[in-house]
Amino acid sequence: MRILFLGAPGAGKGTQCKKLASKYSLAHLSSGDILRDAVKNGTQAGLAAKEFMDKGMLVPDNVLIDLFREKLAQPACSKGFILDGFPRNLAQAESLDGLLSELKANLDKVIDLKTADDLLEERITGRRVCPNKACNAVYHIKFSKPKQDGVCDLCGTELSHRSDDKPELVKQRLSVYHELTSPLIEFYRGKQLLATVNGEGEQEQIFADILATLN
Ligand code: ADP
């Protein structure tokens, strides 16, 4: 199964993609996690990405395309994958078409996780993440609290607040989403791959709705 998720920052893509990846043993390729990892490791891609991420802007297309070309060709993706955060504009979507045809692979479904903007700001600013790369669990100070304040339930690591999850950058990221990423909804509707899922409500219900679109 090869699935792509669309949705604004804070729509819950990461949470749902992790559940889906684990249910079907799919590779979960999160562009944000891949980029943050590259920044942390000081790779060339990371050095190129950092200044854009710090401003809530899109990282240049060629950085993402090179990273995903490499990831998609890895054996971990051969049984299927979930794309989370890539593509994020039309040029990237067209490049992805090219990468997939090189691999003789098609997308099975594109899921648009739809959430009203006023909910997103609160979801993002209250988000806390586990910085342990092997875990990457996501919490929320109000909606999805860890059992012990500030500590990951799964691995015990101290939770952190992403530097771009601050209120001043959230508006910028949302406006980038509406301007550059949301046109992909029509792009994939045109390819008859699109399914829209309501991203508001209980995580379990949202997950059930996602599974229903895949069956
Ligand atoms: P969110 O979806 O909550 O904004 P991500 O973790 O997906 O968070 O992305 C964080 C940042 O990484 C983005 O603001 C952007 O700078 C960069 N980024 C992620 N994916 C892409 C992409 N496909 N193209 C360009 N930049 C990207």
Side-chain angles (χ1 to χ4, degrees), residues 21-67:
S22 123
K23 183 172 171 74
Y24 292 115
S25 305
L26 303 171
H28 173 202
L29 303 182
S30 153
S31 59
D33 288 347
I34 292 168
L35 288 170
R36 279 185 288 277
D37 207 34
V39 170
K40 203 151 111 195
N41 293 331
T43 66
Q44 212 170 350
L47 294 175
K50 188 173 184 323
E51 60 172 305
F52 296 94
M53 296 175 79
D54 287 345
K55 292 188 201 137
M57 290 165 62
L58 291 190
V59 170
D61 294 340
N62 64 317
V63 174
L64 271 298
I65 293 161
D66 289 349
L67 284 170

Side-chain angles (χ1 to χ4, degrees), residues 2 8 14 33 38 44 54 100 111 137 140 142 164 215:
R2 301 181 200 94
D33 288 347
Q44 212 170 350
D54 287 345
L100 290 174
I111 295 175
H140 191 281
K142 226 161 118 183
D164 61 346
N215 293 326

Side-chain angles (χ1 to χ4, degrees), residues 12 47 52 73 87 94 108 112 114 120 127 189:
L47 294 175
F52 296 94
E94 279 158 5
D108 296 302
D112 175 31
K114 221 175 162 57
L120 295 171
R127 174 157 68 185
R189 200 195 306 279

Side-chain angles (χ1 to χ4, degrees), residues 86-153:
F86 174 83
R88 238 170 164 102
N89 62 24
L90 279 171
Q92 291 181 13
E94 279 158 5
S95 299
L96 174 64
D97 277 352
L99 294 180
L100 290 174
S101 69
E102 280 168 31
L103 295 167
K104 301 196 172 34
N106 289 317
L107 290 175
D108 296 302
K109 191 68 89 184
V110 176
I111 295 175
D112 175 31
L113 210 50
K114 221 175 162 57
T115 314
D117 265 14
D118 47 1
L119 256 188
L120 295 171
E121 281 194 50
E122 191 183 14
R123 281 197 187 175
I124 301 174
T125 50
R127 174 157 68 185
R128 297 293 180 272
V129 294
C130 176
N132 170 7
K133 195 186 148 214
C135 179
N136 273 336
V138 181
Y139 299 87
H140 191 281
I141 51 169
K142 226 161 118 183
F143 309 130
S144 174
K145 291 184 183 180
K147 292 194 185 83
Q148 188 187 338
D149 263 1
V151 179
C152 180
D153 289 349

